[in-house]
Amino acid sequence: RAVMKELSRLGAVAYDIRQLFPGRVLLSGNGDDVGWRALSDDEQLRLAKAIRSDLANLHHGRIKLNPSEAMANRYLIVAMRTGANPTPLLEMTRDALRPGLVPGTMRLRTVKYRGQKIHERAIARGSRREQPTLIPTDAVAVLERTLAETEALLQDAPMPVRNRIWLYRSMRSQEYGQVVCLSRQSLAIAIAKLVQRHDLRGDDGSSLKVNASRLRKSYAKRSFR
């Protein structure tokens, strides 16, 4: 593609490069996420503090959250720590967390079914001695705790989601008490409630916009730096 573009610029070929290489061949289902910029360091800190506050208050019984909201908070931690694609992260199976090749690390396995691609990324276990980071908690610990707490739900989980990680009992009237898995819709609703509950603001003073695209770009920005 780069060679053809340069040949076209030099006039060596008469092809219309825009016809040869369309800007977007296949539309994805993430159209709403396209074009979002990465969160700034301050915005990431505010989001991280809000998630930490919710998890701590929930643990000590100071607040009550719907199971979907609690699970969404854990999902956000893992998403911020790994930069994984949102759909493969939502569809992670219970064997996704595997021993790492280096002591003190684990491997996180995600599958992108549409492209038939398997991704494995190393994630480090948290340590009390490690330097403070933008993200409040250890993704490995969050995943291990989630797996342990959802083990009791497996016998009631329907077959399509029985091997998923992000399981919880629904509080929605039409499916009350049923074991379901976190979805894009339930995740978006939980994020909106998190932002409203903590009155999270962007650097421009407007309500903070949080979505999978911004989390991925923020992770890439931190990694590059």
Side-chain angles (χ1 to χ4, degrees):
R1 178 171 180 165
V3 171
M4 290 299 294
K5 281 188 172 183
E6 182 63 15
L7 289 174
S8 175
R9 188 185 70 81
L10 296 173
V13 295
Y15 299 116
D16 184 349
I17 295 300
R18 291 172 299 179
Q19 294 297 321
L20 274 179
F21 302 109
R24 199 178 181 110
V25 180
L26 296 175
L27 294 177
S28 73
N30 306 333
D32 292 341
D33 287 350
V34 175
W36 289 102
R37 63 171 177 80
L39 295 165
S40 70
D41 287 358
D42 287 341
E43 288 171 335
Q44 291 180 69
L45 281 171
R46 289 193 288 272
L47 176 60
K49 287 179 180 179
I51 296 172
R52 175 190 290 177
S53 174
D54 271 5
L55 292 177
N57 289 332
L58 185 64
H59 177 74
H60 293 290
R62 292 192 288 261
I63 61 170
K64 289 185 178 180
L65 297 177
N66 284 338
S68 60
E69 295 172 45
M71 197 60 71
N73 276 348
R74 295 181 179 184
Y75 172 94
L76 288 174
I77 291 172
V78 177
M80 294 171 79
R81 277 284 198 181
T82 64
N85 279 307
T87 299
L89 199 57
L90 284 169
E91 296 176 351
M92 275 195 310
T93 53
R94 299 184 70 82
D95 61 350
L97 194 62
R98 304 177 178 202
L101 300 178
V102 177
T105 66
M106 299 289 285
R107 287 179 297 144
L108 187 66
R109 183 180 188 268
T110 57
V111 181
K112 197 171 184 179
Y113 292 101
R114 186 178 65 185
Q116 296 298 311
K117 293 181 179 179
I118 296 175
H119 296 273
E120 287 197 353
R121 49 179 55 80
I123 50 178
R125 286 184 176 276
S127 169
R128 292 184 179 181
R129 296 186 299 273
E130 70 181 357
Q131 294 298 317
T133 64
L134 290 171
I135 312 305
T137 28
D138 175 6
V140 174
V142 168
L143 286 169
E144 288 178 337
R145 182 168 182 175
T146 302
L147 285 167
E149 291 184 358
T150 56
E151 187 71 26
L153 301 178
L154 298 183
Q155 60 182 358
D156 295 331
M159 189 58 67
V161 299
R162 185 167 295 171
N163 198 32
R164 300 280 180 83
I165 290 180
W166 313 108
L167 300 177
Y168 61 92
R169 290 197 182 275
S170 177
M171 301 294 288
R172 297 176 61 189
S173 57
Q174 59 267 43
E175 56 184 18
Y176 186 84
Q178 295 180 27
V179 177
V180 297
C181 183
L182 198 64
S183 65
R184 279 183 170 272
Q185 181 181 13
S186 55
L187 176 63
I189 293 172
I191 290 175
K193 290 182 178 180
L194 172 70
V195 171
Q196 183 179 20
R197 185 162 56 249
H198 294 275
D199 192 25
L200 293 175
R201 298 282 171 177
D203 291 339
D204 61 358
S206 63
S207 181
L208 184 63
K209 305 296 183 184
V210 180
N211 56 41
S213 179
R214 300 199 77 180
L215 296 182
R216 278 176 56 76
K217 290 180 179 179
S218 303
Y219 174 84
K221 179 182 176 181
R222 294 198 311 272
S223 298
F224 180 79
R225 188 170 60 204

